[in-house]
Amino acid sequence: MILCSRGYSLKKGVIGFHKSGISVARLTSNQTIGGIEYLASGLGPFFNENGEVVNATLARDTEIDGILYMAGQQITFHSKGRVNSGRVARAVQVQAASYSPGDMIYFDSKGAVRDLNRLNLFNAEPEPVTVAKDYIGRTFATTRPLAYQVGLPRRNQVSRYIADNSLTLFTEKADRRTTVLHTLCN
């Protein structure tokens, strides 16, 4: 066990540092840091260069700025006390958006809700890509092995959940997608 100068104890051998101090550690037991109790067996805590927690797992349901966040879940901060994201523990309405228990809530650095539950970052149809005729049929070298993936569903033919969480084709003109080949070996 290592006792940190800020008053909490950390597990040996599980500490990362940045230029001004600890960047990540594992707690020896559930501990309160900056007025919030964090879970020893959870993710983090991760600290910014000012020594503030920026990512950790809550040990108990915790109210911050009128919102009750769920125990056992990860919470992230932009800066001290300014929540970036967390899972709500009870129904709440924030800035005209309603959240049910278990929903994630996201805030920008100024405290405005970024409703990623409703915002679909992939909804926009990508700009069509025109391939110059000079490139068709030529061979190119890449630093990573690439492959064509076929048999993918079209985005407009599947549920929104599948479209948002799976590879899909955006346009009627495409019948395959270029993808990086991954190996299961290390």
Side-chain angles (χ1 to χ4, degrees):
M1 174 180 80
I2 298 173
L3 185 61
C4 179
S5 63
R6 296 184 184 259
Y8 40 90
S9 58
L10 308 172
K11 289 184 180 179
K12 281 185 181 180
V14 191
I15 301 174
F17 295 90
H18 45 62
K19 291 180 183 177
S20 60
I22 297 171
S23 65
V24 63
R26 294 294 305 255
L27 302 172
T28 56
S29 61
N30 293 359
Q31 295 177 57
T32 300
I33 302 171
I36 299 173
E37 187 178 355
Y38 296 108
L39 195 63
S41 61
L43 182 67
F46 294 84
F47 300 91
N48 65 17
E49 293 191 356
N50 297 326
E52 301 163 340
V53 174
V54 292
N55 188 340
T57 305
L58 293 173
R60 63 183 64 217
D61 287 356
T62 303
E63 187 172 326
I64 302 170
D65 290 334
I67 299 171
L68 189 66
Y69 294 94
M70 190 178 283
Q73 300 296 311
Q74 189 177 354
I75 189 161
T76 63
F77 297 95
H78 289 288
S79 60
K80 185 174 182 157
R82 189 170 210 96
V83 174
N84 177 16
S85 66
R87 194 166 300 279
V88 298
R90 69 173 170 230
V92 65
Q93 187 163 357
V94 181
Q95 300 172 20
S98 296
Y99 298 88
S100 298
D103 284 350
M104 286 294 291
I105 188 168
Y106 302 87
F107 295 95
D108 67 19
S109 60
K110 295 177 182 171
V113 170
R114 291 184 308 142
D115 197 348
L116 298 182
N117 293 320
R118 293 172 184 82
L119 174 64
N120 181 355
L121 302 176
F122 304 104
N123 236 1
E125 187 76 17
E127 292 294 320
V129 177
T130 306
V131 179
K133 291 180 183 177
D134 296 343
Y135 294 103
I136 297 175
R138 291 184 58 199
T139 302
F140 295 91
T142 65
T143 57
R144 296 182 175 161
L146 300 175
Y148 286 124
Q149 191 168 0
V150 296
L152 295 172
R154 297 204 184 286
R155 181 167 194 78
N156 61 357
Q157 295 174 336
V158 295
S159 73
R160 182 171 176 159
Y161 178 82
I162 292 172
D164 290 348
N165 294 289
S166 305
L167 291 177
T168 57
L169 298 173
F170 283 95
T171 178
E172 292 298 320
K173 295 179 183 177
D175 65 350
R176 61 194 73 200
R177 177 185 177 113
T178 304
T179 187
V180 175
L181 215 52
H182 294 280
T183 178
L184 297 176
C185 303
N186 287 329

